[in-house]
Amino acid sequence: MNTVRVSLAERSYDIVITSGDLAGIGPFAAARVRGRRALLISDNHLAADRPIVSRSLELAGFVTESAVLPAGEAQKCLGVASSLYDRLVDWRSDRQTLVVALGGGVIGDLAGFVAATFNRGLPLLMVPTSLLAMVDSSVGGKVGVNHPRGKNLIGAFHQPAGVWIDTAFLDSLPDREYRSGLAEVVKYGVILDADFLAFLEVNSAKVLAREPATVRHIVTRCCELKARVVEQDEREETGVRAVLNYGHTFAHAFETVGGYGAWLHGEAVAAGMACASRLAERLRPDWGRGHAASGRSAADVRSADGAAALAD
């Protein structure tokens, strides 16, 4: 078990990275929130795991309710958020009611947005089940839903009470989803850690084979890198956190034009990073004589194109 601390004064929290320990979720939650009611939000792909998580919460003293949604990006909208508000109202929820987001990036963003906005803020526990959610969207407090004219245009900053990452979820993740998540993994190496990028290049076979120790290492390192950025610029006010958006301007355009479904997010980010690196070289032909944020030359940064290969 690895633990990464996100230090944000009174909003600080722990990210736990473990494997095969869904039973630990209940005690982890009970140690971090005062209330003992929990709404578990997940999608229909997690039918086998949802009862285990509910049971763990109940054994830790929680009364639980479940909201099960269809899978897919189409759920990340105001209409579905409103239906979840209705569930919370029907359940007579108060500000101590815990929202547990069990799922990938869509569930995490949607459930987090509901937690941020219902009753002016409910405690949130992230339990990401996809690689992309583990290394990116579950950490840092960005939550939101899509608008028909733009991705993530409606949202908030709402830090979770904690993040419980169980890498065993990745054993059954479809290959396309896994490779999509690898695009965000490569992004961290490109923007922040040249040694980590080199590790991914040398160990690509183990990464693609989902070798357990390798997976835990890359998830932990990505969480460490994101935590350090978020600690410096929690609400993206100084420009430091903007580095995490590398490739995302192109990516969000691809996703919006595609109608939120044709592209997986990581696939769009992979293509977006390749486009961003090529655009930078066109705008600054002399850039190759300098260094990118990661400390690598422009020629090396073109290895962001490798993200597209991983997600292909």
Side-chain angles (χ1 to χ4, degrees):
M1 178 184 291
N2 300 327
T3 302
V4 176
R5 182 73 171 173
V6 183
S7 298
L8 293 168
E10 71 278 5
R11 294 177 304 286
S12 298
Y13 56 95
D14 290 326
I15 306 164
V16 169
I17 300 99
T18 186
S19 187
D21 187 18
L22 292 183
I25 293 173
F28 179 76
R32 285 158 177 80
V33 299
R34 287 181 291 174
R36 287 298 178 265
R37 285 154 55 90
L39 175 65
L40 177 60
I41 301 174
S42 65
D43 66 39
N44 53 16
H45 285 169
L46 294 161
D49 302 297
R50 190 167 50 253
I52 300 173
V53 175
S54 291
R55 182 60 176 159
S56 174
L57 290 165
E58 290 164 0
L59 288 173
F62 288 89
V63 176
T64 66
E65 283 281 319
S66 291
V68 182
L69 305 174
E73 188 79 18
Q75 299 302 303
K76 202 172 130 178
C77 65
L78 284 173
V80 176
S82 182
S83 72
L84 293 171
Y85 296 146
D86 291 342
R87 291 291 301 273
L88 287 164
V89 171
D90 290 343
W91 203 29
R92 297 188 177 182
S93 301
D94 59 24
R95 290 184 181 172
Q96 303 304 318
T97 299
L98 175 66
V99 173
V100 180
L102 173 67
V106 169
I107 289 294
D109 283 356
L110 172 65
F113 178 74
V114 168
T117 51
F118 185 85
N119 223 348
R120 297 183 176 84
L122 304 181
L124 170 67
L125 176 66
M126 290 289 201
V127 186
T129 61
S130 69
L131 180 59
L132 191 146
M134 290 176 186
V135 302
D136 190 62
S137 59
S138 67
V139 178
K142 275 189 176 181
V143 296
V145 295
N146 299 328
H147 185 275
R149 293 172 60 183
K151 187 176 173 71
N152 293 335
L153 290 182
I154 305 163
F157 288 94
H158 186 65
Q159 300 296 341
V163 182
W164 185 271
I165 298 176
D166 192 327
T167 60
F169 279 117
L170 302 180
D171 294 344
S172 58
L173 192 69
D175 194 59
R176 184 184 175 195
E177 293 277 358
Y178 182 74
R179 287 173 177 264
S180 171
L182 287 176
E184 292 281 6
V185 173
V186 170
K187 179 196 77 176
Y188 286 108
V190 172
I191 64 175
L192 292 169
D193 191 342
D195 290 338
F196 181 53
L197 183 60
F199 172 87
L200 296 172
E201 292 169 342
V202 171
N203 294 277
S204 60
K206 290 182 179 179
V207 172
L208 291 172
R210 312 187 198 192
E211 196 277 320
T214 302
V215 169
R216 284 193 295 273
H217 172 71
I218 65 175
V219 170
T220 300
R221 186 57 183 150
C222 289
C223 289
E224 289 172 344
L225 290 168
K226 183 161 189 179
R228 301 298 83 84
V229 171
V230 171
E231 287 168 354
Q232 296 175 67
D233 186 14
E234 180 184 359
R235 298 177 63 85
E236 209 168 284
E237 294 171 329
T238 68
V240 172
R241 185 167 177 165
V243 71
L244 298 173
N245 297 332
Y246 181 59
H248 283 59
T249 301
F250 285 102
H252 287 174
F254 299 153
E255 291 176 277
T256 301
V257 172
Y260 304 132
W263 294 72
L264 295 180
H265 180 64
E267 293 170 341
V269 168
M273 287 192 292
C275 291
S277 65
R278 292 168 182 171
L279 177 61
E281 288 190 273
R282 287 190 178 189
L283 294 175
R284 289 287 305 274
D286 62 332
W287 191 50
R289 294 192 293 272
H291 292 278
S294 64
R296 298 168 72 92
S297 70
D300 290 330
V301 172
R302 280 199 300 270
S303 65
D305 294 359
L310 286 171
D312 189 2

